[in-house]
């Protein structure tokens, strides 16, 4: 079985460039369908979710080319509007293609994305937003068929929750809809800001990103574009947590730390020294951290649910207690049992997990059950005595393009073994 073998207990030191943000690049790849021409994305990470998106674009008829971290999509020749079940299953985010396919071709035929490792993830808000823009929906044997009349039309959309995916689907469909769309209670995540900038770079009229109200003037002519994807704030949060857990000092470049200020504040509260610049962050840590009271996940600018597992891993060896309240997803503590195998003292019930710091963690065979939970196991392993074998790498590869290389560059004893 493929695994990472990590021998912990040595401080980290060095500098790493953070790769492009998964959650920015996925909706951007879907957006390329809106333009009958070429879009070029720089800093596009090598991730299995990106590969799945490229496979969907090829299936739809796009010409796709990747050279290093540059991906070129020529969407002049889109001839299909369906996403096969196998591709939908490969990546839940394939639902992000719905709005763009509908705007481009007038219909879309996708399978219903089922539950996933984080618990049920409904798409009711995505569908309601598209309906407001004039789409009709029908379910046929596990498939979702969306159609529109002559064209989608601008509308006022009030989201009952600031869902990231629903905001993105609504934005993409609105770019192809005639007239003005206003999205209220929109998600404010930095990835939405990055997407809006990308769309503007191809000629779309979008404003208000980063606030709760987004305005899109649809059906303006689009043109070829070139865009550099921002650095991944969750990868940065993972590496900061790794240094906090193992000790040492490191500089992470190519990210804007104001986008994960809540994580930085937390690590400082735990005793790490963190200095921020506009496009880099530096950390020094001498474990143990101290417990930080209560961490409650929330939509941006609150504490990101995606950083909860990795910060929890860093706090396993803290002095004192930290209470986590996971408000975003139902099933996001699957790393807890694995961390306990390494000697952590964590009690999880429902949405609450209580971490009581222990003096030491020890290496153990552990399994990743989801992407950021997998990141958490690597963080804990770096602060543990002895060797940890992490399996479930398929989850980790969805979101970390160069984990082994990056942590090795920081002096970690980590290697990938493929059997
Ligand atoms: C995105 C991110 C994911 C991150 C999450 C929250 C991508 C590809 N993924 O996921 O990494 O953890 O934001 O920051 O960008 N909800 C509904 N109905 C809907 C849609 C969502 O009830 O139609 C609920 C979800 O169950 C969840 C909450 O809204 O409880 C937030 O989900 P959402 O913001 O939509 O997350 P994703 O876009 O799936």
């Amino acid at each position: 079985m493929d695994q990472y073998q990590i021998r912990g207990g040595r401080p980290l030191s060095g500098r790493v460039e953070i790769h492009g943000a998964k959650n920015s690049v996925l909706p951007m790849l879907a957006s390329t369908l809106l333009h009958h021409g070429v879009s070029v994305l720089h800093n596009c990470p090598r991730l299995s979710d990106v590969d799945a998106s490229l496979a969907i674009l090829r299936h739809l008829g796009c010409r796709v080319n990747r050279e290093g971290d540059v991906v070129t999509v020529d969407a002049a020749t889109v001839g299909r509007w369906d996403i096969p079940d196998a591709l939908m299953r490969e990546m839940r985010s394939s639902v992000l293609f719905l709005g763009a396919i509908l705007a481009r071709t007038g219909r879309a035929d996708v399978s219903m994305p089922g539950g996933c490792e984080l618990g049920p993830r409904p798409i009711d808000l995505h569908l309601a937003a598209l309906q407001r823009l004039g789409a009709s929906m029908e379910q046929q044997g596990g498939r979702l068929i969306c159609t529109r009349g002559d064209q989608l039309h601008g509308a006022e959309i009030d989201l009952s929750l600031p869902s990231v995916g629903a905001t993105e689907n609504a934005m993409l469909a609105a770019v192809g809809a005639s007239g003005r769309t206003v999205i209220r209670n929109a998600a404010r995540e930095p990835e939405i800001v990055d997407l809006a900038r990308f769309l503007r770079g191809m000629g779309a009229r979008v404003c208000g990103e980063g606030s709760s109200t987004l305005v899109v003037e649809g059906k303006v002519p689009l043109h070829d574009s070139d865009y550099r994807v921002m650095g991944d704030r969750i990868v940065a949060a993972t590496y900061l947590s790794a240094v906090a857990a193992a000790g040492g000092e490191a500089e992470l470049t190519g990210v804007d730390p104001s986008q994960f200020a809540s994580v930085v504040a937390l690590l400082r509260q735990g005793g790490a020294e963190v200095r921020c610049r506009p496009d880099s962050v530096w950390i020094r840590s001498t474990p143990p951290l101290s417990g930080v009271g209560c961490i409650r996940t929330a939509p941006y600018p609150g504490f990101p649910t995606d950083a909860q597992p990795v910060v929890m891993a860093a706090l396993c060896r803290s002095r004192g207690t930290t209470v986590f309240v996971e408000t975003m997803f139902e099933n996001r503590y699957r790393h807890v049992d694995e961390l306990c195998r390494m000697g952590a003292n964590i009690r999880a019930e429902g949405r609450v997990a209580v971490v009581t710091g222990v003096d030491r963690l020890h290496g153990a065979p552990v399994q990743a059950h989801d992407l950021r939970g997998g990141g958490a196991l690597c963080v804990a392993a770096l602060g543990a005595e002895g060797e940890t074998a992490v399996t479930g790498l398929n989850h980790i590869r969805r979101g970390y393009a160069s984990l082994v290389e990056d942590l090795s560059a920081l002096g970690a004893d980590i290697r990938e073994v493929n059997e």
Side-chain angles (χ1 to χ4, degrees):
M1 207 179 305
D2 291 358
Q3 54 183 253
Y4 293 152
Q5 293 177 350
I6 303 172
R7 186 164 285 279
R10 53 156 93 178
L12 304 180
S13 152
R15 180 199 287 201
V16 157
E17 167 100 18
I18 300 296
H19 64 67
K22 169 178 87 73
N23 290 353
S24 285
V25 84
L26 299 182
M28 285 176 194
L29 288 171
S31 312
T32 62
L33 289 171
L34 297 170
H35 169 48
H36 295 240
V38 176
S39 307
V40 182
L41 282 170
H42 299 260
N43 203 23
C44 193
R46 282 205 174 268
L47 299 169
S48 53
D49 273 10
V50 170
D51 291 340
S53 297
L54 299 184
I56 290 172
L57 289 171
R58 285 197 186 97
H59 171 83
L60 296 172
C62 299
R63 277 187 299 190
V64 176
N65 182 46
R66 180 198 260 280
E67 269 174 46
D69 71 353
V70 182
V71 166
T72 305
V73 181
D74 182 347
T77 52
V78 169
R80 305 184 64 120
W81 48 85
D82 64 305
I83 304 182
D85 196 45
L87 286 174
M88 284 298 289
R89 281 176 194 276
E90 220 164 282
M91 179 183 67
R92 186 191 177 277
S93 304
S94 44
V95 74
L96 291 177
F97 279 83
L98 196 52
I101 296 178
L102 186 63
R104 172 70 191 260
T105 69
R107 55 197 138 168
D109 172 356
V110 301
S111 53
M112 290 294 285
C116 72
E117 65 272 11
L118 304 183
R121 288 174 86 165
I123 57 164
D124 53 320
L125 302 177
H126 301 236
L127 302 188
L130 297 178
Q131 279 168 328
R132 293 284 301 162
L133 293 165
S136 310
M137 315 281 170
E138 201 186 322
Q139 280 193 50
Q140 285 176 11
R143 304 285 299 173
L144 175 70
I145 319 288
C146 303
T147 48
R148 59 156 161 81
D150 270 358
Q151 54 183 5
L152 295 173
H153 52 74
E156 307 256 321
I157 297 171
D158 290 284
L159 294 173
S160 56
L161 283 170
S163 154
V164 174
T167 301
E168 292 166 345
N169 242 329
M171 282 166 84
L172 302 199
V175 168
S178 61
R180 165 182 288 219
T181 296
V182 181
I183 306 169
R184 296 209 178 77
N185 199 23
R188 299 164 57 193
E189 267 67 5
E191 292 77 12
I192 301 276
V193 175
D194 212 24
L195 176 62
R197 288 182 180 153
F198 168 74
L199 290 170
R200 271 202 297 272
M202 64 199 285
R205 284 205 202 125
V206 180
C207 64
E209 72 275 11
S211 80
S212 305
T213 306
L214 276 161
V215 181
V216 180
E217 300 286 349
K219 275 264 179 251
V220 298
L222 303 179
H223 50 71
D224 291 357
S225 67
D226 233 272
Y227 190 80
R228 184 175 171 83
V229 181
M230 73 178 196
D232 195 306
R233 64 194 171 107
I234 305 302
V235 172
T238 304
Y239 295 173
L240 288 180
S241 301
V243 178
E249 65 176 87
E251 187 186 15
L252 310 178
T253 59
V255 274
D256 173 358
S258 70
Q259 296 174 343
F260 46 93
S262 57
V263 176
V264 168
L266 228 280
L267 292 171
R268 280 183 179 143
Q269 200 187 329
E273 192 184 342
V274 187
R275 290 192 209 139
C276 299
R277 292 188 166 185
D279 59 358
S280 68
V281 59
W282 173 91
I283 181 169
R284 178 158 61 202
S285 163
T286 316
L289 298 174
S290 45
V292 294
C294 184
I295 300 177
R296 206 182 157 79
T297 63
Y300 191 84
F303 190 87
T305 174
D306 289 349
Q308 172 262 107
V310 295
V311 168
M312 182 184 287
L315 287 165
C316 286
R317 244 168 23 102
S318 60
R319 283 216 183 93
T321 300
T322 305
V323 177
F324 285 83
V325 184
E326 173 54 64
T327 71
M328 304 290 288
F329 292 109
E330 271 174 33
N331 194 11
R332 202 150 198 187
Y333 286 138
R334 295 186 67 193
H335 46 286
V336 164
D337 281 351
E338 305 296 320
L339 292 173
C340 290
R341 281 168 179 255
M342 301 173 71
N345 179 355
I346 308 172
R347 296 236 321 265
E349 204 173 309
R351 292 184 179 264
V352 177
V354 180
V355 180
T356 306
V358 294
D359 283 345
R360 53 179 59 90
L361 296 178
H362 52 78
V366 290
Q367 188 180 354
H369 297 292
D370 58 52
L371 164 57
R372 304 302 170 190
L377 301 181
C378 298
V379 167
L382 292 167
E385 290 168 10
E387 187 164 295
T388 297
V390 182
T391 52
L393 302 193
N394 56 318
H395 294 296
I396 298 177
R397 289 180 186 129
R398 288 187 40 229
Y400 296 97
S402 45
L403 191 83
V404 171
E405 295 86 334
D406 292 346
L407 292 174
S408 299
L410 295 178
D413 184 347
I414 175 170
R415 61 197 179 111
E416 180 170 339
V417 177
N418 305 111
E419 284 172 11

